[in-house]
Amino acid sequence: MDLVTLDHVRAAAADIADVVVRTPLLPCRWDERLLLKPESLQPVGSFKLRGATHAVARLSAEQRARGVVTHSSGNHGQALAYAARAAAAPCTVVIPENAPTVKIEQVRALDAEVVLVPPAERLTTAERIVTEQGRTMIPPYDDRRVIAGQGTVGLEIIEDLPEVEVVLVPVGGGGLASGVSTAIRAVRPSVAVIGVEPEYAADARQSLAAGEVVVWEPARTQRTSADGLRTSLSTLTFAHLRERLDGIVTVTEDEIAAAMARLAREARLVVEPSGAVAAAAHMFRGDELPTGRTVAVVTGGNVDPARLSAALTAP
């Protein structure tokens, strides 16, 4: 299988430069070894804007006119809606009906059509729209263009902190981890790139241990508050992670909530559960991680206000 290369990531960086924010590395007052890469500061509140912008930039004029479609728990949907609107392309987003209301409303605010479906029907519904309407599918992670776009996070980390030794990156469908590990392995192979998953959605860790993609049923992954990490790896992302990721650790729901609260109070970052898992791993799983100067990727900040309040007020 052809994997994304450093050249692909660098091409994506050029495509997205005028749209995507180059997020800073923020020092942590509670641990001088840790820096945060706050992708929650992107215009749509998550790193997903990188891959979506690159994918739309690579469409032909005819494809843009016909429009795009995707399936998403919210963040990729917002990102694609944002990128499509900028390119004057119609956009439809298929969203699981149990996704956070705040994410659904934000997709609609970007002029995209929203189709709500049971979680198990998101992909098949999006595929039906491709067939019926002739739209181009831009998957949330199972796409080389998207992986290359997400890999720009890794490029920026290496450029801004050449002495980095460990990068912690959340893993859901694996697009971000695939892209980041691709960029970092190519530029600085000595850096350890470690994936982080919720214990309630640890299918990627199981997949890598088994040597093949293991899919957890939606009823199983719905237990985690990290809704952006409930998806399973694809064959494409599995191939990247098997080749380039240095390991995966898991965190509990209580640890995710504690990380959300600490990031809000001490880093002044509003972070959703999926975006907090990398910081949670550094806070609670240090004995399972390589040592050294570490960057935790904070992937998104589109959190339901009630969930954020619960995290902040937990004993």
Side-chain angles (χ1 to χ4, degrees):
M1 178 179 294
D2 291 334
L3 303 185
V4 171
T5 68
L6 178 61
D7 286 344
H8 294 133
V9 178
R10 285 179 169 156
D15 277 349
I16 71 175
D18 293 335
V19 178
V20 173
V21 172
R22 185 187 179 99
T23 53
L25 294 179
L26 303 179
C28 289
R29 56 192 285 181
W30 66 86
D31 192 329
E32 63 181 11
R33 300 169 303 165
L34 178 65
L35 293 96
L36 305 172
K37 177 74 167 166
E39 288 294 293
S40 52
L41 301 181
Q42 293 293 346
V44 295
S46 84
F47 75 96
K48 293 285 191 177
L49 187 59
R50 296 172 181 270
T53 299
H54 179 48
V56 170
R58 295 286 156 153
L59 296 177
S60 67
E62 180 182 355
Q63 288 173 318
R64 292 187 192 187
R66 289 183 178 179
V68 294
V69 62
T70 194
H71 56 96
S72 167
S73 62
N75 282 346
H76 176 66
Q78 289 180 65
L80 185 61
Y82 187 98
R85 186 173 69 174
C91 179
T92 299
V93 182
V94 180
I95 301 180
E97 56 194 7
N98 62 349
T101 301
V102 63
K103 293 186 177 182
I104 297 170
E105 292 175 347
Q106 288 170 352
V107 172
R108 287 182 172 137
L110 290 165
D111 300 329
E113 177 188 9
V114 171
V115 178
L116 297 177
V117 298
E121 297 177 16
R122 52 187 279 177
L123 175 58
T124 55
T125 302
E127 290 173 337
R128 176 175 54 78
I129 292 171
V130 169
T131 300
E132 294 177 353
Q133 300 181 23
R135 299 201 168 188
T136 298
M137 175 83 81
I138 307 292
Y141 53 87
D142 189 25
D143 186 284
R144 288 174 176 80
R145 299 162 300 180
V146 171
I147 291 172
Q150 319 305 29
T152 59
V153 170
L155 277 186
E156 291 177 11
I157 290 172
I158 292 295
E159 290 169 358
D160 293 348
L161 188 70
E163 63 271 29
V164 65
E165 295 169 274
V166 183
V167 175
L168 303 177
V169 56
V171 180
L176 177 64
S178 294
V180 169
S181 60
T182 292
I184 291 178
R185 177 66 67 90
V187 177
R188 193 64 55 81
S190 62
V191 177
V193 182
I194 306 295
V196 186
E197 286 185 300
E199 285 188 352
Y200 285 162
D203 52 286
R205 185 176 188 178
Q206 186 177 353
S207 295
L208 292 174
E212 61 182 5
V213 176
V214 176
V215 177
W216 287 19
E217 294 300 319
R220 189 176 184 185
T221 59
Q222 298 307 310
R223 299 173 300 164
T224 181
S225 60
D227 58 281
L229 305 180
R230 291 170 180 164
T231 49
S232 297
L233 300 180
S234 68
T235 301
L236 179 63
T237 56
F238 173 77
H240 283 80
L241 299 189
R242 179 177 56 184
E243 181 77 18
R244 297 168 177 170
L245 197 68
D246 293 297
I248 292 186
V249 300
T250 62
V251 291
T252 69
E253 295 301 300
D254 286 345
E255 290 165 351
I256 293 170
M260 288 174 61
R262 188 166 210 174
L263 289 167
R265 292 193 180 105
E266 299 185 43
R268 307 299 187 263
L269 292 174
V270 173
V271 179
E272 62 190 276
S274 301
V277 298
H282 193 269
M283 290 167 57
F284 298 105
R285 293 288 185 266
D287 58 340
E288 300 177 39
L289 299 173
T291 59
R293 200 75 183 276
T294 300
V295 172
V297 181
V298 178
T299 50
N302 295 311
V303 60
D304 182 87
R307 187 171 295 281
L308 178 62
S309 176
L312 288 169
T313 57

